[in-house]
């Protein structure tokens, strides 16, 4: 049906913040290890503070510190980097105040673990990114869509949305299951590095021309390791 390979792997330790590039990653039923484990919330509530309402969040980065020489390890708390480059441990006392100040969160923020009922990884295809860029007349970065995996494959642009749900898709030696296309929120319309600039034309195009979808979700039951360069096929 199609064949290709994994070009990029990404992990986002804190929802809404920029993430980190990986060479390999462990994936299981809960999703990619260390991905979107933390979120920002209004203090004392379950109201999420997210990039769609606070796009300056994407000026911050989050990463898991390297341990035992393995940059892909996940242990302890992630490290957050503010736009100027200063590093903060996720549990540092002054971090919530600094976050709130820099992302214009008037009610303040708390950083805490996110409750997840299921796991999945988000895959986008280079051919679709190139076609979307052609349609918009400018480069559209993969970072706008916050993928876990970027794939190059001999698949026509946007053909991934016609694939049958439940289809087995192999990444390396591992068989994943296609869950569904990713329905997009407003986040891809915001500049993905925290510039607080919105591309409304892109938002309208995704809704009108792509049925408000970009990327597909895959799931796996047992723990597996995927790597940049792994073959991809279905």
């Amino acid at each position: 049906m199609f064949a290709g390979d994994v070009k990029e792997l990404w992990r986002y330790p804190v929802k809404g913040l920029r993430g980190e590039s990986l060479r390999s990653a462990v994936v299981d039923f809960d999703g990619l290890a260390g991905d979107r484990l933390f979120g920002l919330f209004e203090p004392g509530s379950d109201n999420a503070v997210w990039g769609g309402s606070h796009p300056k969040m994407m000026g911050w980065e989050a990463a898991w510190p390297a341990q035992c020489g393995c940059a892909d390890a996940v242990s302890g708390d992630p490290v957050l980097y503010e736009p100027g480059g200063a590093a903060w441990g996720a549990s540092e006392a002054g971090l919530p105040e600094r976050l709130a100040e820099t992302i214009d969160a008037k009610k303040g923020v708390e950083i805490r673990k996110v409750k997840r009922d299921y796991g999945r990884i988000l895959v986008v295809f280079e051919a679709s990114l190139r076609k979307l860029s052609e349609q918009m007349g400018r480069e559209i970065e993969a970072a706008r869509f916050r993928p876990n995996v970027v794939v190059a494959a001999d698949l026509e642009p946007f053909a991934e949305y016609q694939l049958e749900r439940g289809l087995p898709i192999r990444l390396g030696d591992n068989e994943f299951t296609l869950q569904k296309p990713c329905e997009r929120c407003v986040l891809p319309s915001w500049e993905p590095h925290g510039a607080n600039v919105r591309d409304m034309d892109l938002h309208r195009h995704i809704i009108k021309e792509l049925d408000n979808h970009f990327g597909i979700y895959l799931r796996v039951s047992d723990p597996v390791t995927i790597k940049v360069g792994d073959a991809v096929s279905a």
Side-chain angles (χ1 to χ4, degrees), residues 109-121:
V109 299
E110 291 179 348
I111 179 171
R112 60 178 186 261
K113 285 193 173 182
V114 175
K115 298 177 182 178
R116 299 196 300 180
D117 297 324
Y118 56 86
R120 57 195 182 190
I121 59 173

Side-chain angles (χ1 to χ4, degrees), residues 53-117:
S53 59
H54 295 78
K56 289 184 179 180
M57 287 172 60
M58 290 177 281
W60 284 71
E61 298 180 21
W64 293 97
Q67 295 130 11
C68 303
C70 177
D72 299 348
V74 177
S75 179
D77 290 337
V79 176
L80 279 65
Y81 300 89
E82 61 177 87
W88 294 80
S91 59
E92 280 194 56
L95 176 60
E97 181 179 357
R98 182 60 178 160
L99 273 165
E101 175 188 3
T102 57
I103 68 173
D104 298 334
K106 304 303 183 184
K107 296 182 179 180
V109 299
E110 291 179 348
I111 179 171
R112 60 178 186 261
K113 285 193 173 182
V114 175
K115 298 177 182 178
R116 299 196 300 180
D117 297 324

Side-chain angles (χ1 to χ4, degrees), residues 178-200:
L178 172 58
Q179 184 188 18
K180 63 178 182 178
C182 177
E183 185 174 359
R184 305 310 315 198
C185 63
V186 300
L187 201 59
S189 66
W190 287 102
E191 195 278 333
H193 305 290
N196 201 27
V197 175
R198 191 172 183 193
D199 188 340
M200 287 299 300

Side-chain angles (χ1 to χ4, degrees), residues 40-59:
L40 304 184
F41 298 86
E42 293 179 2
S45 81
D46 290 328
N47 295 328
V49 177
W50 70 295
S53 59
H54 295 78
K56 289 184 179 180
M57 287 172 60
M58 290 177 281

Side-chain angles (χ1 to χ4, degrees), residues 1-229:
M1 188 176 298
F2 70 85
D5 62 293
V6 174
K7 291 299 184 183
E8 300 176 26
L9 289 174
W10 290 89
R11 174 170 61 198
Y12 310 89
V14 181
K15 294 183 68 174
L17 274 56
R18 297 205 313 275
E20 56 183 330
S21 176
L22 304 175
R23 298 299 301 173
S24 66
V26 175
V27 186
D28 60 17
F29 183 77
D30 292 325
L32 192 146
D35 185 57
R36 296 171 170 91
L37 287 188
F38 291 83
L40 304 184
F41 298 86
E42 293 179 2
S45 81
D46 290 328
N47 295 328
V49 177
W50 70 295
S53 59
H54 295 78
K56 289 184 179 180
M57 287 172 60
M58 290 177 281
W60 284 71
E61 298 180 21
W64 293 97
Q67 295 130 11
C68 303
C70 177
D72 299 348
V74 177
S75 179
D77 290 337
V79 176
L80 279 65
Y81 300 89
E82 61 177 87
W88 294 80
S91 59
E92 280 194 56
L95 176 60
E97 181 179 357
R98 182 60 178 160
L99 273 165
E101 175 188 3
T102 57
I103 68 173
D104 298 334
K106 304 303 183 184
K107 296 182 179 180
V109 299
E110 291 179 348
I111 179 171
R112 60 178 186 261
K113 285 193 173 182
V114 175
K115 298 177 182 178
R116 299 196 300 180
D117 297 324
Y118 56 86
R120 57 195 182 190
I121 59 173
L122 176 60
V123 179
V124 301
F125 288 77
E126 284 191 340
S128 297
L129 281 168
R130 285 195 299 269
K131 186 64 174 180
L132 180 59
S133 296
E134 291 175 11
Q135 292 173 340
M136 299 305 301
R138 57 188 179 276
E139 181 183 3
I140 303 300
E141 297 180 68
R144 286 184 178 272
F145 301 100
R146 307 180 67 79
N148 296 117
V149 184
V150 178
V151 168
D154 56 358
L155 196 64
E156 290 296 315
F158 313 128
E160 59 268 31
Y161 310 119
Q162 307 306 317
L163 298 175
E164 184 178 356
R165 296 188 186 193
L167 176 74
I169 296 180
R170 297 192 67 82
L171 278 65
D173 297 325
N174 314 299
E175 186 173 289
F176 287 74
T177 301
L178 172 58
Q179 184 188 18
K180 63 178 182 178
C182 177
E183 185 174 359
R184 305 310 315 198
C185 63
V186 300
L187 201 59
S189 66
W190 287 102
E191 195 278 333
H193 305 290
N196 201 27
V197 175
R198 191 172 183 193
D199 188 340
M200 287 299 300
D201 288 341
L202 176 61
H203 184 60
R204 286 190 287 264
H205 183 89
I206 292 171
I207 293 173
K208 182 178 178 180
E209 303 298 334
L210 302 180
D211 195 29
N212 203 31
H213 292 110
F214 201 89
I216 58 175
Y217 286 122
L218 303 184
R219 299 185 70 175
V220 69
S221 296
D222 299 319
V224 301
T225 298
I226 56 177
K227 303 182 294 295
V228 171

